Amino acid sequence: MITAIYLSHNRLDFVKHSFLPFMRECKSSLVKQAIIYDDNSTDGTSDFLMSHYYNLPLKFRYIREEFNSSWKQINSTYPIAEKYILKVDNDIVIPKDYVKYLFDVMEKDNSIGFAGLRTGNACYIGDSSLVGVRNIGGVGLFRTEEIRRLGGIREPLVKEEKRFFGFTDLQTRSNLKKVWVDGMAKDLSKVLKDKQMDYLNENWTR
């Protein structure tokens, strides 16, 4: 039913906290295949991912390649994907049982094409001024059939467009509904508080 993908490029501090929850969610029988995309990391992330990959079930695949953007990884995935694609960025600690939660939402309403996480907790390192409930673009469930119908994601004409929910192009061209599903997420900013300003300076905020 679901092809899960984990998108990673460096940020080993994030990966150490986000990868294990991703693997936990992929143990669900709903997840038929899981692809770990490593965009040629150079900070030890590749070694960390590989050390865990060797002990994973056969439904997991590890791909280390230079993509330079998540939209290319999605375009590599949808031709072989199951009914849904679960996308998880490496700065996201996905809530427990959230995969089933998103799946149930999508199964009950065929008019929904994209479902993302809405939470009052920060599950990525971001702007500390962001308070209250907000939408988190780093995790989402997408209807594969709709991605195929649209022919995948078109290459952004402006570099910054790559940062919007990962897939602004899909959302703007699709007529299916886009929803944000409430969920509880671990606050990664508390785990890595000392790293927050570094990533703010590197424009990792959304």
Side-chain angles (χ1 to χ4, degrees):
M1 287 292 188
I2 297 174
T3 294
I5 63 173
Y6 180 82
L7 308 182
S8 185
H9 173 65
N10 291 330
R11 300 194 289 181
L12 178 60
D13 290 327
F14 285 76
V15 173
K16 287 179 178 179
H17 292 280
S18 64
F19 186 60
L20 296 182
F22 172 78
M23 289 195 301
R24 177 202 65 217
E25 290 301 290
C26 287
K27 290 180 180 179
S28 167
S29 60
L30 294 172
V31 177
K32 301 304 181 184
Q33 59 178 329
I35 303 173
I36 305 160
Y37 283 112
D38 177 7
D39 197 348
N40 271 1
S41 297
T42 58
D43 65 344
T45 292
S46 299
D47 292 337
F48 178 86
L49 293 174
M50 285 298 294
S51 68
H52 289 282
Y53 173 68
Y54 287 127
N55 298 315
L56 294 176
L58 290 177
K59 68 178 177 180
F60 281 85
R61 294 173 56 200
Y62 173 76
I63 299 176
R64 186 173 190 270
E65 185 177 330
E66 187 171 350
F67 288 94
N68 293 319
S69 182
S70 58
W71 67 269
K72 293 181 181 179
Q73 294 163 331
I74 283 289
N75 283 350
S76 296
T77 302
Y78 80 81
I80 60 169
E82 297 284 330
K83 183 176 182 180
Y84 301 106
I85 296 175
L86 173 74
K87 167 249 190 186
V88 179
D89 288 349
N90 72 346
D91 56 355
I92 295 297
V93 177
I94 188 170
K96 191 175 187 299
D97 299 323
Y98 196 63
V99 171
K100 185 179 185 308
Y101 192 21
L102 285 176
F103 176 81
D104 289 343
V105 169
M106 298 280 276
E107 284 288 284
K108 290 175 182 176
D109 189 344
N110 289 329
S111 68
I112 297 175
F114 310 91
L117 170 64
R118 181 174 173 82
T119 178
N121 291 340
C123 51
Y124 66 95
I125 300 299
D127 189 341
S128 59
S129 67
L130 293 176
V131 295
V133 175
R134 57 193 178 280
N135 302 328
I136 306 296
V139 56
L141 193 65
F142 311 126
R143 200 174 293 276
T144 304
E145 182 180 279
E146 180 67 354
I147 297 177
R148 289 184 180 137
R149 186 187 71 80
L150 295 171
I153 304 175
R154 298 178 300 190
E155 181 173 1
L157 298 178
V158 181
K159 182 178 180 181
E160 285 72 21
E161 289 181 4
K162 299 177 184 179
R163 299 301 305 164
F164 290 108
F165 195 43
F167 317 112
T168 303
D169 175 67
L170 289 180
Q171 294 182 87
T172 55
R173 289 192 291 137
S174 174
N175 293 322
L176 293 183
K177 289 192 295 189
K178 301 87 180 174
V179 301
W180 297 98
V181 181
D182 288 332
M184 294 302 295
K186 184 177 179 181
D187 191 341
L188 188 56
S189 64
K190 292 179 181 178
V191 176
L192 299 174
K193 187 174 181 181
D194 61 320
K195 294 289 182 181
Q196 182 172 350
M197 190 53 64
D198 292 340
Y199 290 112
L200 283 175
N201 292 338
E202 294 175 20
N203 297 317
W204 282 111
T205 58
R206 287 167 170 73

